[in-house]
């Protein structure tokens, strides 16, 4: 009897440890591709195939070959600051130049082949250069992305019609001197002109500079909006009942769990293993 109880205690303790959040650096695993982080959420042990996926694309200031740089802002930093994000969170690093939609999909495919996740709930968001990347990825692969959010960006796509095929939210500050708000407005005007804006949201933050939208990554609303969309939704409608404004940015850190602790850094697969996957 004691032996059985000890085995049960060991199993419970292992499950609790396995449920803890992990952060894994993946380097030189995709020939010619990006290096990236994979964050495994706290409840991943229990959610597995129901776990959504977030891909975050950073701006030009974080380009390079030092993965630590891309943790300076965005979802990974939000997690450290106490925002709970219940998704496999992928953060690639761009060594320089424009983001490649194909290379982003290569990263996603690498993760999907090794981590159980909900492939109908993949989301892309980014700002500045990453806002360009977000529009380019979502406009190129609208049938693989459930929803996207581009902050203070634009697009290099000549044909933006793909952005009308998925729920998509464009946000830009009107006082942005690094990337003029006109870059986002051009995309919106093109989609509206073609009657291709039924799944589009857009907001111009009055007086906001280039860096102001970065606080959006720390809002609960951001992830609530993303997670409410799925490739399985009939006609893929956009959720319109949530708004993000300047007041939200001022309160971005108001409800985070202070002193939550940083994710555990690991090398290689985590302690959780399953048939056909490494975690």
């Amino acid at each position: 009897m004691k032996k059985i109880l000890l085995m049960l205690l060991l199993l419970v303790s292992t499950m609790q440890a396995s449920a803890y959040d992990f952060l894994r650096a993946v380097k030189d695993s995709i020939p010619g591709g990006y290096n990236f982080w994979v964050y495994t959420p706290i409840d991943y042990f229990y959610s597995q195939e129901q776990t959504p996926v977030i891909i975050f694309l950073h701006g030009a200031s974080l380009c390079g070959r030092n993965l630590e740089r891309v943790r300076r802002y965005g979802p990974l930093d939000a997690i450290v600051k106490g925002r709970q994000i219940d998704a496999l969170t992928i953060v690639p690093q761009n060594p320089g130049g424009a983001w490649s939609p194909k290379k982003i999909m290569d990263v996603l495919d690498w993760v999907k082949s090794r981590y159980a996740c909900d492939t109908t709930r993949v989301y892309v968001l980014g700002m500045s250069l990453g806002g360009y990347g977000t529009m380019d990825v979502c406009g190129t692969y609208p049938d693989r992305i459930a929803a996207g959010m581009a902050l203070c960006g634009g697009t290099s796509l000549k044909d933006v019609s793909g952005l009308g095929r998925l729920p998509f939210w464009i946000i830009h500050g009107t006082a942005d001197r690094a990337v003029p708000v006109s870059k986002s407005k051009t995309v919106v005007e093109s989609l509206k002109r073609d009657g291709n804006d039924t799944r589009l949201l857009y907001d111009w933050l009055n007086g906001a500079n280039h860096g102001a939208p970065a606080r959006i990554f720390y809002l609960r609303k951001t992830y609530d909006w993303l997670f409410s969309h799925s490739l399985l939704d009939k006609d893929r409608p956009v959720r319109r009942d949530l708004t993000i404004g300047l007041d939200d940015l001022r309160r971005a850190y108001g409800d985070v769990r202070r002193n939550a602790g940083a994710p555990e850094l690991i090398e290689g697969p985590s302690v959780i293993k399953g048939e056909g996957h490494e975690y």
Side-chain angles (χ1 to χ4, degrees):
M1 186 65 180
K2 287 184 177 180
K3 186 175 181 180
I4 294 175
L5 287 173
L6 287 172
M7 290 177 65
L8 288 173
L9 287 172
L10 179 61
L11 176 61
V12 169
S13 65
T14 301
M15 290 175 65
Q16 290 173 341
S18 299
Y20 191 75
D21 47 345
F22 298 108
L23 185 59
R24 172 186 180 186
V26 181
K27 301 178 181 179
D28 303 321
S29 293
I30 302 175
Y34 296 133
N35 293 333
F36 55 96
W37 293 100
V38 180
Y39 167 71
T40 307
I42 292 173
D43 289 336
Y44 181 67
F45 182 89
Y46 307 102
S47 58
Q48 298 280 306
E49 287 80 4
Q50 285 74 50
T51 309
V53 178
I54 287 176
I55 302 173
F56 168 66
L57 306 182
H58 62 73
S61 66
L62 304 187
C63 287
R65 298 189 180 278
N66 179 0
L67 264 182
E68 290 296 327
R69 291 172 62 86
V70 300
R71 297 175 60 188
R72 292 182 181 178
Y73 68 83
L76 292 185
D77 185 54
I79 290 166
V80 170
K81 285 184 166 60
R83 171 65 62 215
Q84 185 171 337
I85 301 176
D86 296 322
L88 277 174
T89 304
I90 305 170
V91 182
Q93 184 176 37
N94 184 342
W99 284 100
S100 164
K102 171 62 167 58
K103 289 183 179 181
I104 295 300
M105 290 298 103
D106 289 343
V107 170
L108 175 60
D109 288 338
W110 190 97
V111 172
K112 284 168 52 180
S113 70
R114 292 163 174 81
Y115 290 76
C117 59
D118 186 348
T119 58
T120 70
R121 299 175 67 215
V122 176
Y123 312 98
V124 181
L125 71 166
M127 70 174 290
S128 193
L129 180 66
Y132 273 82
T134 298
M135 290 200 202
D136 290 356
V137 170
C138 292
T140 304
Y141 299 99
D143 296 328
R144 298 194 64 184
I145 309 300
M149 182 182 287
L151 314 180
C152 54
T155 185
S156 61
L157 297 176
K158 294 181 179 179
D159 178 4
V160 300
S161 61
L163 291 174
R165 292 169 53 188
L166 77 165
F168 201 79
W169 199 344
I170 298 174
I171 302 176
H172 212 128
T174 62
D176 192 329
R177 294 185 179 181
V179 180
V181 67
S182 60
K183 298 297 184 181
S184 286
K185 286 186 174 181
T186 296
V187 177
V188 171
E189 290 164 2
S190 177
L191 290 170
K192 292 175 70 175
R193 182 177 61 249
D194 296 336
N196 200 16
D197 60 337
T198 59
R199 301 177 181 89
L200 176 68
L201 293 178
Y202 58 92
D203 286 284
W204 316 130
L205 303 177
N206 189 36
N209 62 20
H210 186 64
R215 289 194 171 201
I216 290 172
F217 301 123
Y218 301 81
L219 293 173
R220 182 187 303 277
K221 280 185 178 181
T222 299
Y223 304 100
D224 287 345
W225 183 82
L226 289 170
F227 295 157
S228 64
H229 300 97
S230 168
L231 293 178
L232 300 180
D233 294 337
K234 187 179 183 334
D235 298 324
R236 302 186 65 183
V238 62
R239 180 175 181 179
R240 296 185 179 276
D241 64 315
L242 288 180
T243 60
I244 292 178
L246 292 174
D247 286 343
D248 293 296
L249 303 193
R250 297 186 186 102
R251 300 190 298 265
Y253 309 113
D255 65 341
V256 297
R257 297 178 299 117
R258 301 293 181 180
N259 303 315
E264 179 183 352
L265 294 176
I266 64 170
E267 295 182 6
S270 78
V271 299
I272 310 172
K273 294 185 181 293
E275 184 177 353
H277 297 283
E278 59 178 60
Y279 299 83

